[in-house]
Amino acid sequence: MENQHQLDLKGKTAIVTGASKGIGRAIAESLAKNGANVIVSSRKQESVDEVAENIVNTGGKAIGIAAHVGNSEDIQNLVKQTLEKFNSIDIIVNNAAINPTYGPIQDSTEDIFEKVMKVNVYGPLELAKLAYPSMKEKGGGSIINIASIEGKTPSTGLGLYSVSKAAMISMTKVLAREWGRDNIRANVILPGLVQTKFSQALINDEKTLKGVMYKQALNKLAEPDDISGLALFLASDASSFCTGSEFVADGGFTI
């Protein structure tokens, strides 16, 4: 009973980016089921409205606010609308990410580098910074960054994506160190290969999939719900003494 109470998010407001599908959607739905007011955010309004409506229809509280995390004005508007609607921000899940290129890092360009870092690193940092005053005023908060095992053990062909996720892991530790005295926690989840649209190209590559399954201890691919439970833990009081930590969810791939 005590553990169940620790997972209760009633009265807390959470922003989840990249929440129209995959891991982000699963996290948004999980937080809502446990009582949070959830801001479902992604680039397209119709997509976030569909997810928010489904949450409301199943008894949760949610609204959709479209925002491109690579656009500073969108991030500012996201925070502004959230505060106008719910008066505070308690939880941020930085899940939105891009990987527009696959191949040798020597073929990467400045334009692609800037695009990847803007969405995968700067956007999440900017969102956290804008939410900081509200979290501090309320006496604390939880920032959950969704990185990847690519940030620790990069694979061939995912160079810039791996660099951006390594930066996100480091950023998480910086936020944890600097904001800990304000009772604001920052943790990072490192998923392995998860069955989502984002990773479909890798899953569809027979050689890649065979290599993953050979190395992975658990003989299955992860589903988005396998990550959402970990996010719920980090959003809740059950993880009240966890900050600056890396939580690997890769089925034993990196053992």
Side-chain angles (χ1 to χ4, degrees):
M1 291 296 290
E2 178 62 27
N3 288 341
Q4 185 175 4
H5 174 71
Q6 287 183 321
L7 295 173
D8 186 359
L9 300 178
K10 286 185 178 66
K12 295 186 178 182
T13 298
I15 296 176
V16 184
T17 67
S20 63
K21 57 185 179 293
I23 292 173
R25 178 169 185 159
I27 291 173
E29 292 173 344
S30 177
L31 299 186
K33 285 179 182 177
N34 283 271
N37 307 312
V38 176
I39 308 301
V40 180
S41 188
S42 193
R43 288 181 297 172
K44 297 181 180 179
Q45 189 65 48
E46 59 269 26
S47 297
V48 296
D49 283 345
E50 187 272 324
V51 176
E53 182 179 354
N54 181 70
I55 289 174
V56 171
N57 289 341
T58 54
K61 295 180 180 179
I63 61 171
I65 301 176
H68 190 311
V69 297
N71 184 300
S72 294
E73 290 184 2
D74 278 10
I75 298 173
Q76 292 169 15
N77 181 62
L78 173 60
V79 171
K80 181 175 180 289
Q81 287 196 51
T82 301
L83 292 175
E84 288 175 351
K85 179 68 176 180
F86 294 112
N87 299 315
S88 69
I89 300 171
D90 305 281
I91 301 158
I92 289 175
V93 181
N94 282 311
N95 171 70
I98 60 169
N99 181 35
T101 183
Y102 181 86
I105 198 165
Q106 64 264 30
D107 293 340
S108 61
T109 64
E110 181 179 0
D111 179 63
I112 293 297
F113 177 83
E114 290 180 351
K115 186 176 182 180
V116 169
M117 296 302 285
K118 182 78 171 178
V119 173
N120 293 5
V121 183
Y122 182 77
L125 175 59
E126 186 71 5
L127 179 55
K129 287 167 60 180
L130 289 171
Y132 170 77
S134 176
M135 289 184 171
K136 182 178 180 179
E137 181 180 358
K138 197 167 180 183
S142 177
I143 298 166
I144 304 161
N145 293 323
I146 309 299
S148 168
I149 57 171
E150 290 296 325
K152 298 288 284 187
T153 54
S155 302
T156 301
L158 294 173
L160 290 184
Y161 179 77
S162 299
V163 168
S164 73
K165 291 305 182 178
M168 176 175 260
I169 293 168
S170 181
M171 178 185 73
T172 302
K173 296 176 184 295
V174 171
L175 295 180
R177 170 59 64 190
E178 294 196 5
W179 295 355
R181 298 296 181 183
D182 298 313
N183 197 36
I184 298 171
R185 300 181 294 110
N187 294 285
V188 59
I189 297 175
L190 283 62
L193 190 59
V194 182
Q195 294 194 73
T196 65
K197 185 177 180 181
F198 186 83
S199 61
Q200 202 59 51
L202 295 175
I203 293 173
N204 289 342
D205 186 301
E206 185 176 347
K207 183 178 180 181
T208 297
L209 182 59
K210 185 176 180 180
V212 169
M213 298 312 297
Y214 176 79
K215 286 188 65 178
Q216 196 163 280
L218 297 180
N219 189 32
K220 65 176 184 177
L221 282 178
E223 298 285 349
D225 282 340
D226 292 318
I227 310 302
S228 65
L230 188 50
L232 171 62
F233 166 72
L234 293 173
S236 72
D237 290 341
S239 61
S240 62
F241 204 57
C242 297
T243 196
S245 297
E246 303 169 25
F247 292 84
V248 176
D250 68 350
F253 181 83
T254 53
I255 293 175

